[in-house]
Amino acid sequence: MSVQAEGTFYVQAIGLRPRVHISADGSGVVGHAGAWLLADLADATGLTAAYSAALRPLRPRGTGHDPGRVATDLAVMLADGGEAIADLAVLRDQGEVFGPVASTPTAWRLLADTDDRTLTALRSARAHAREVAWLQAAEQGEGIPAARAGGRALPELDLDLDATLVTCHSEKEQAAPTYKNGFGFHPLLCFLANTGEAVSGPLRPGNSGANTAADHITVLDQAIAQIPDAHRHGTDILIHADSAGSAKAFLAHVRDLRKRGIRTFFSVGYAITEPVRRAVRTMPDRLWHPALDQDGTLRDGAEIAELTGMLELPGYPTGTRIIVRRERPHPGAQLSLFDQDEGLPYQVFLTDTPYSRGGFAQFLEVRHRGHATVEDHIRCGKTTGFGRFPSRDFNINAVWLELSLAAIDLLAWTRVLLLDGDLATAEPKKLCYRLLHVVARLTRGGRRMRLRISATWPWRNELATAFHRLAALPRPAG
């Protein structure tokens, strides 16, 4: 604000910050104190112990850093927002809280020494920790949260499969040109919609197909193996995918899993073929019904209809249904030639959920639309490790991806077991800003070590409550 007096302008000082003197000699201060929560949660769920058992062959002399602890520290670092192996320094330089943390070369050697057999053992270790985390959630009385659609809870586990492109800016083994004219990798991932856990996702070359049935089968089988046995054989499991998952071999595999006592169903996108166009054009207006929104209310400008019986689906599992939705286009929406001819965009999907299991078309359509949340999980995952890969070696990058999935799981278990309110649904960046990156003071007295969170930090109570809940979690035997 300027005030003129006799030809002179004066600037009124508003909200000036206090002047401080900077020095680099502080002590007793812990940065990223909230990451301690993740490290202790890895211990409480048995992830660290399971990793140690899986990686024991890499420590033949029993000396040096425990490889399982190194793997856990890498997962914690990634969950905390780290992007490179060198970011382990954030944990290493705060040994009073995080204990002895491996050097960067030691972490590199661990990744380089992990072969395909050991990588499989790491996945089994993560499945063991998941079972413990789910049992801990059950002990708290709430259990694994239900996915929701159409304003109601779904009595099932929802697995969302989708592929994503990860751009590489340097030559890496098996990085290749992608179908979008980029260069990099093309992992196929599976997330559990109920919690946001990253249940499976092998690394693939950049030129891998998006609709390869064999890859979808591999990812689904790895995901099923991650589900605790009591849920794998006692709960309906819905497999979501876009049209890349509509391959007949993949859907036949989904149906065949029932022979093993796994109650699987599918809801996958389907291409708008010429038979579909003919069926849509001959559908009477009276058979179009209002679509639903995710809260169960009617969706303005959208309608659905069932095409089952109006066209043949040769080679698909018995009982496959086909449903179509049309909706008034949003401003700027890109329409296909068929959509332009009809004036409305259309989406088609296949499902084998029968009418007897609550499968009326309006509900099935809004349930299928929930698959779009997988894009949010992938976007968050790219900030939790697999948005960039550290090595030219493909096997090292494959292990990095597996540890990234473990990092996503740690954040998911934190939300389910330790947090309430909006933090229980927060994305990684919000958790980092509000909880994980908190600075606190470490003090000792009365034979105890205390972590003192600032009394002015807005989320101090939420973080303190999370630590108290963590301390109260039942621990796995041994």
Side-chain angles (χ1 to χ4, degrees):
M1 180 178 184
S2 299
V3 180
Q4 187 174 8
E6 298 181 359
T8 303
F9 286 89
Y10 298 94
V11 178
Q12 180 177 340
I14 299 177
L16 292 180
R17 296 182 179 85
R19 292 185 178 182
V20 297
H21 297 280
I22 308 299
S23 65
D25 55 359
S27 62
V29 178
V30 178
H32 291 239
W36 193 4
L37 193 72
L38 299 176
D40 278 6
L41 182 60
D43 295 345
T45 57
L47 180 65
T48 305
Y51 272 174
S52 295
L55 298 173
R56 186 172 293 120
L58 303 184
R59 194 187 187 189
R61 295 184 300 274
T63 59
H65 289 276
D66 176 8
R69 173 63 68 180
V70 177
T72 298
D73 288 341
L74 284 168
V76 170
M77 178 269 292
L78 291 172
D80 191 46
E83 295 183 334
I85 296 177
D87 290 338
L88 272 177
V90 173
L91 309 184
R92 185 187 314 115
D93 294 340
Q94 301 181 98
E96 288 182 304
V97 173
F98 295 102
V101 177
S103 66
T104 299
T106 298
W108 268 108
R109 285 194 298 272
L110 171 68
L111 298 180
D113 292 343
T114 302
D115 56 17
D116 289 342
R117 178 180 297 181
T118 311
L119 182 57
T120 300
L122 286 177
R123 291 173 180 143
S124 297
R126 193 159 58 93
H128 173 76
R130 190 184 320 282
E131 184 172 18
V132 173
W134 287 27
L135 287 172
Q136 290 169 334
E139 286 284 335
Q140 291 181 335
E142 297 181 1
I144 296 303
R148 301 187 64 85
R152 71 184 194 185
L154 304 180
E156 60 201 23
L157 297 177
D158 278 19
L159 296 178
D160 287 331
L161 280 72
D162 200 8
T164 186
L165 298 174
V166 179
T167 300
C168 295
H169 298 285
S170 62
E171 289 287 345
K172 298 182 187 294
E173 185 181 6
Q174 296 195 46
T178 68
Y179 70 95
K180 287 190 175 181
N181 299 318
F183 182 83
F185 297 116
H186 194 193
L188 179 60
L189 303 156
C190 181
F191 291 86
L192 180 67
N194 303 64
T195 59
E197 291 166 271
V199 285
S200 65
L203 188 62
R204 302 190 303 164
N207 56 2
S208 297
N211 58 351
T212 306
D215 289 349
H216 278 74
I217 290 172
T218 297
V219 172
L220 177 59
D221 286 348
Q222 290 181 1
I224 294 293
Q226 286 287 321
I227 298 174
D229 188 70
H231 295 267
R232 187 188 311 134
H233 295 285
T235 307
D236 287 354
I237 301 175
L238 178 68
I239 289 88
H240 273 298
D242 56 19
S243 58
S246 64
K248 297 174 184 178
F250 174 62
L251 299 185
H253 181 72
V254 172
R255 178 64 61 85
D256 287 344
L257 288 172
R258 297 184 192 177
K259 299 175 182 177
R260 293 159 43 189
I262 304 172
R263 302 201 302 263
T264 48
F265 299 86
F266 60 79
S267 180
V268 299
Y270 188 68
I272 299 181
T273 61
E274 186 56 37
V276 171
R277 295 188 184 98
R278 289 196 299 267
V280 167
R281 287 174 173 142
T282 58
M283 175 69 66
D285 285 341
R286 59 184 175 81
L287 296 182
W288 289 94
H289 304 285
L292 300 178
D293 252 326
Q294 290 298 336
D295 60 1
T297 60
L298 296 181
R299 185 176 178 87
D300 184 43
E303 296 177 308
I304 62 98
E306 183 153 3
L307 302 179
T308 306
M310 296 186 66
L311 68 164
E312 296 182 358
L313 294 171
Y316 284 96
T318 303
T320 298
R321 301 165 62 183
I322 179 167
I323 297 171
V324 60
R325 174 170 68 96
R326 65 184 183 186
E327 185 170 11
R328 185 170 58 246
H330 302 291
Q334 294 183 351
L335 304 181
S336 68
L337 293 177
F338 175 68
D339 294 338
Q340 291 175 9
D341 290 343
E342 298 297 315
L344 296 170
Y346 288 79
Q347 291 82 35
V348 181
F349 70 98
L350 306 176
T351 183
D352 64 343
T353 300
Y355 292 97
S356 60
R357 302 182 81 91
F360 62 94
Q362 286 173 297
F363 171 72
L364 296 181
E365 190 278 326
V366 72
R367 185 188 68 173
H368 178 75
R369 212 177 329 129
H371 171 64
T373 58
V374 71
E375 297 179 4
D376 293 327
H377 294 317
I378 289 175
R379 172 177 52 80
C380 292
K382 288 184 175 181
T383 66
T384 317
F386 66 77
R388 56 185 298 176
F389 290 95
S391 176
R392 294 179 181 272
D393 184 270
F394 184 82
N395 289 333
I396 290 178
N397 291 330
V399 182
W400 182 267
L401 176 56
E402 172 60 25
L403 294 178
S404 299
L405 302 186
I408 295 169
D409 282 351
L410 283 174
L411 292 172
W413 299 338
T414 298
R415 290 190 293 262
V416 171
L417 296 171
L418 308 179
L419 300 177
D420 290 320
D422 62 340
L423 288 177
T425 58
E427 293 188 354
K429 283 188 176 181
K430 180 182 286 187
L431 290 179
C432 286
Y433 183 82
R434 296 187 176 186
L435 298 184
L436 303 184
H437 294 176
V438 166
V439 175
R441 181 170 294 280
L442 197 65
T443 63
R444 289 178 175 83
R447 298 183 179 180
R448 291 185 178 181
M449 186 168 65
R450 290 179 172 85
L451 191 68
R452 298 186 178 277
I453 306 165
S454 171
T456 61
W457 187 250
W459 301 280
R460 61 193 180 280
N461 293 326
E462 288 84 346
L463 182 55
T465 298
F467 274 111
H468 293 322
R469 289 179 176 174
L470 175 59
L473 287 179
R475 293 321 199 250

Tab-separated table of all heavy atoms in Angstrom, residues 3 34-36 53 78 134 170 178-179 184 196-197 224 316 318 328 331 333 390 416 436 441-442 448 455:
chain	number	residue	atom	x	y	z
A	3	VAL	N	1.402	5.436	0.168
A	3	VAL	CA	0.816	6.689	0.634
A	3	VAL	C	1.688	7.830	0.145
A	3	VAL	O	2.915	7.811	0.345
A	3	VAL	CB	0.708	6.708	2.177
A	3	VAL	CG1	0.092	8.024	2.623
A	3	VAL	CG2	-0.116	5.534	2.665
A	34	GLY	N	6.892	-38.804	10.717
A	34	GLY	CA	5.736	-39.668	10.472
A	34	GLY	C	6.080	-40.927	9.727
A	34	GLY	O	5.343	-41.918	9.789
A	35	ALA	N	7.220	-40.938	9.017
A	35	ALA	CA	7.637	-42.154	8.318
A	35	ALA	C	7.979	-43.265	9.304
A	35	ALA	O	7.984	-44.449	8.938
A	35	ALA	CB	8.830	-41.859	7.414
A	36	TRP	N	8.289	-42.887	10.543
A	36	TRP	CA	8.505	-43.876	11.595
A	36	TRP	C	7.259	-44.746	11.744
A	36	TRP	O	7.339	-45.940	12.038
A	36	TRP	CB	8.831	-43.145	12.894
A	36	TRP	CG	9.371	-44.013	13.997
A	36	TRP	CD1	9.670	-45.336	13.947
A	36	TRP	CD2	9.689	-43.577	15.320
A	36	TRP	NE1	10.147	-45.768	15.151
A	36	TRP	CE2	10.170	-44.704	16.021
A	36	TRP	CE3	9.617	-42.356	15.986
A	36	TRP	CZ2	10.575	-44.648	17.349
A	36	TRP	CZ3	10.021	-42.301	17.307
A	36	TRP	CH2	10.491	-43.426	17.981
A	53	ALA	N	13.001	-63.502	5.874
A	53	ALA	CA	12.993	-64.928	5.543
A	53	ALA	C	13.147	-65.141	4.047
A	53	ALA	O	13.856	-66.057	3.600
A	53	ALA	CB	11.701	-65.566	6.052
A	78	LEU	N	10.002	-45.198	-0.322
A	78	LEU	CA	9.122	-44.935	-1.465
A	78	LEU	C	7.761	-44.437	-1.001
A	78	LEU	O	7.187	-43.513	-1.592
A	78	LEU	CB	8.979	-46.202	-2.303
A	78	LEU	CG	10.226	-46.643	-3.066
A	78	LEU	CD1	10.021	-48.021	-3.689
A	78	LEU	CD2	10.590	-45.630	-4.140
A	134	TRP	N	-5.035	-57.757	7.504
A	134	TRP	CA	-6.482	-57.956	7.440
A	134	TRP	C	-7.009	-58.552	8.746
A	134	TRP	O	-8.117	-58.209	9.184
A	134	TRP	CB	-6.833	-58.849	6.257
A	134	TRP	CG	-6.700	-58.163	4.925
A	134	TRP	CD1	-5.863	-57.116	4.627
A	134	TRP	CD2	-7.414	-58.450	3.723
A	134	TRP	NE1	-5.999	-56.760	3.310
A	134	TRP	CE2	-6.942	-57.550	2.727
A	134	TRP	CE3	-8.367	-59.389	3.385
A	134	TRP	CZ2	-7.430	-57.570	1.425
A	134	TRP	CZ3	-8.854	-59.404	2.075
A	134	TRP	CH2	-8.395	-58.510	1.115
A	170	SER	N	16.003	-42.529	-20.670
A	170	SER	CA	17.330	-43.046	-20.996
A	170	SER	C	17.180	-44.498	-21.422
A	170	SER	O	16.135	-45.113	-21.213
A	170	SER	CB	18.266	-42.940	-19.790
A	170	SER	OG	17.789	-43.729	-18.712
A	178	THR	N	6.317	-47.385	-27.343
A	178	THR	CA	4.964	-47.741	-26.916
A	178	THR	C	3.958	-47.385	-27.994
A	178	THR	O	4.262	-46.681	-28.954
A	178	THR	CB	4.604	-47.007	-25.621
A	178	THR	OG1	4.484	-45.595	-25.896
A	178	THR	CG2	5.684	-47.210	-24.555
A	179	TYR	N	2.727	-47.872	-27.805
A	179	TYR	CA	1.691	-47.628	-28.811
A	179	TYR	C	1.280	-46.160	-28.866
A	179	TYR	O	0.584	-45.736	-29.793
A	179	TYR	CB	0.476	-48.518	-28.544
A	179	TYR	CG	-0.318	-48.161	-27.307
A	179	TYR	CD1	-1.439	-47.335	-27.382
A	179	TYR	CD2	0.036	-48.651	-26.052
A	179	TYR	CE1	-2.173	-47.016	-26.269
A	179	TYR	CE2	-0.697	-48.338	-24.938
A	179	TYR	CZ	-1.801	-47.517	-25.040
A	179	TYR	OH	-2.523	-47.198	-23.917
A	184	GLY	N	9.443	-46.592	-23.143
A	184	GLY	CA	9.536	-46.953	-21.736
A	184	GLY	C	8.999	-48.333	-21.446
A	184	GLY	O	9.163	-49.261	-22.245
A	196	GLY	N	-7.443	-49.855	-1.865
A	196	GLY	CA	-6.378	-49.207	-2.614
A	196	GLY	C	-5.077	-49.972	-2.585
A	196	GLY	O	-4.057	-49.478	-3.081
A	197	GLU	N	-5.061	-51.199	-2.031
A	197	GLU	CA	-3.847	-52.005	-2.021
A	197	GLU	C	-3.448	-52.389	-3.450
A	197	GLU	O	-4.306	-52.633	-4.294
A	197	GLU	CB	-4.056	-53.274	-1.191
A	197	GLU	CG	-4.200	-53.013	0.303
A	197	GLU	CD	-4.731	-54.223	1.042
A	197	GLU	OE1	-5.979	-54.341	1.156
A	197	GLU	OE2	-3.919	-55.048	1.494
A	224	ILE	N	-4.895	-63.005	-7.029
A	224	ILE	CA	-5.658	-63.972	-6.240
A	224	ILE	C	-4.777	-64.566	-5.140
A	224	ILE	O	-5.222	-64.777	-3.996
A	224	ILE	CB	-6.217	-65.085	-7.145
A	224	ILE	CG1	-7.257	-64.517	-8.126
A	224	ILE	CG2	-6.826	-66.204	-6.321
A	224	ILE	CD1	-8.514	-64.023	-7.503
A	316	TYR	N	-17.727	-66.764	-25.611
A	316	TYR	CA	-17.711	-66.175	-24.272
A	316	TYR	C	-18.380	-67.116	-23.279
A	316	TYR	O	-19.217	-67.947	-23.662
A	316	TYR	CB	-18.405	-64.810	-24.273
A	316	TYR	CG	-17.546	-63.722	-24.883
A	316	TYR	CD1	-17.691	-63.365	-26.220
A	316	TYR	CD2	-16.582	-63.068	-24.124
A	316	TYR	CE1	-16.894	-62.375	-26.788
A	316	TYR	CE2	-15.786	-62.082	-24.678
A	316	TYR	CZ	-15.945	-61.739	-26.009
A	316	TYR	OH	-15.157	-60.773	-26.563
A	318	THR	N	-20.766	-69.002	-20.705
A	318	THR	CA	-22.225	-69.067	-20.605
A	318	THR	C	-22.712	-68.093	-19.543
A	318	THR	O	-22.144	-67.986	-18.460
A	318	THR	CB	-22.658	-70.492	-20.235
A	318	THR	OG1	-22.140	-71.406	-21.210
A	318	THR	CG2	-24.172	-70.600	-20.174
A	328	ARG	N	-25.464	-37.849	-22.709
A	328	ARG	CA	-25.276	-36.573	-23.368
A	328	ARG	C	-23.814	-36.160	-23.244
A	328	ARG	O	-23.257	-36.144	-22.145
A	328	ARG	CB	-26.189	-35.519	-22.727
A	328	ARG	CG	-26.158	-34.169	-23.428
A	328	ARG	CD	-27.243	-33.242	-22.906
A	328	ARG	NE	-27.130	-33.031	-21.470
A	328	ARG	CZ	-28.018	-33.438	-20.582
A	328	ARG	NH1	-29.083	-34.114	-20.978
A	328	ARG	NH2	-27.853	-33.196	-19.294
A	331	PRO	N	-19.054	-30.944	-22.654
A	331	PRO	CA	-18.351	-30.003	-23.543
A	331	PRO	C	-16.909	-30.421	-23.768
A	331	PRO	O	-16.185	-30.740	-22.823
A	331	PRO	CB	-18.425	-28.680	-22.756
A	331	PRO	CG	-19.629	-28.827	-21.873
A	331	PRO	CD	-19.678	-30.277	-21.494
A	333	ALA	N	-15.914	-33.137	-25.289
A	333	ALA	CA	-15.739	-34.586	-25.379
A	333	ALA	C	-15.407	-34.988	-26.811
A	333	ALA	O	-15.950	-34.442	-27.780
A	333	ALA	CB	-16.993	-35.304	-24.899
A	390	PRO	N	15.102	-46.949	-11.510
A	390	PRO	CA	16.451	-46.458	-11.201
A	390	PRO	C	17.573	-47.018	-12.051
A	390	PRO	O	18.670	-46.465	-12.034
A	390	PRO	CB	16.635	-46.909	-9.743
A	390	PRO	CG	15.844	-48.179	-9.644
A	390	PRO	CD	14.643	-47.962	-10.536
A	416	VAL	N	-6.338	-47.841	6.708
A	416	VAL	CA	-7.352	-48.746	7.233
A	416	VAL	C	-7.204	-48.958	8.735
A	416	VAL	O	-8.191	-48.952	9.485
A	416	VAL	CB	-7.299	-50.102	6.498
A	416	VAL	CG1	-8.191	-51.134	7.181
A	416	VAL	CG2	-7.720	-49.937	5.039
A	436	LEU	N	3.478	-37.655	7.308
A	436	LEU	CA	4.759	-38.336	7.187
A	436	LEU	C	5.948	-37.391	7.271
A	436	LEU	O	7.004	-37.759	7.790
A	436	LEU	CB	4.811	-39.131	5.878
A	436	LEU	CG	3.698	-40.166	5.674
A	436	LEU	CD1	3.928	-40.944	4.389
A	436	LEU	CD2	3.597	-41.109	6.867
A	441	ARG	N	10.676	-33.257	17.808
A	441	ARG	CA	11.868	-33.256	18.655
A	441	ARG	C	11.955	-34.559	19.419
A	441	ARG	O	10.957	-35.030	19.979
A	441	ARG	CB	11.838	-32.073	19.626
A	441	ARG	CG	13.072	-31.998	20.533
A	441	ARG	CD	13.112	-30.701	21.299
A	441	ARG	NE	13.293	-29.567	20.415
A	441	ARG	CZ	14.462	-29.188	19.909
A	441	ARG	NH1	15.557	-29.893	20.189
A	441	ARG	NH2	14.542	-28.143	19.134
A	442	LEU	N	13.141	-35.114	19.451
A	442	LEU	CA	13.390	-36.363	20.152
A	442	LEU	C	14.032	-36.046	21.498
A	442	LEU	O	15.072	-35.379	21.564
A	442	LEU	CB	14.318	-37.248	19.318
A	442	LEU	CG	14.396	-38.732	19.668
A	442	LEU	CD1	13.055	-39.405	19.425
A	442	LEU	CD2	15.478	-39.410	18.826
A	448	ARG	N	12.974	-43.321	28.972
A	448	ARG	CA	12.110	-43.383	27.784
A	448	ARG	C	12.586	-42.392	26.735
A	448	ARG	O	13.158	-41.344	27.056
A	448	ARG	CB	10.652	-43.077	28.141
A	448	ARG	CG	9.969	-44.141	28.971
A	448	ARG	CD	8.511	-43.792	29.153
A	448	ARG	NE	7.791	-44.813	29.903
A	448	ARG	CZ	6.489	-44.759	30.186
A	448	ARG	NH1	5.773	-43.721	29.778
A	448	ARG	NH2	5.922	-45.735	30.864
A	455	ALA	N	3.177	-28.544	19.108
A	455	ALA	CA	1.834	-28.295	19.628
A	455	ALA	C	1.003	-27.431	18.687
A	455	ALA	O	-0.216	-27.314	18.867
A	455	ALA	CB	1.918	-27.626	20.994
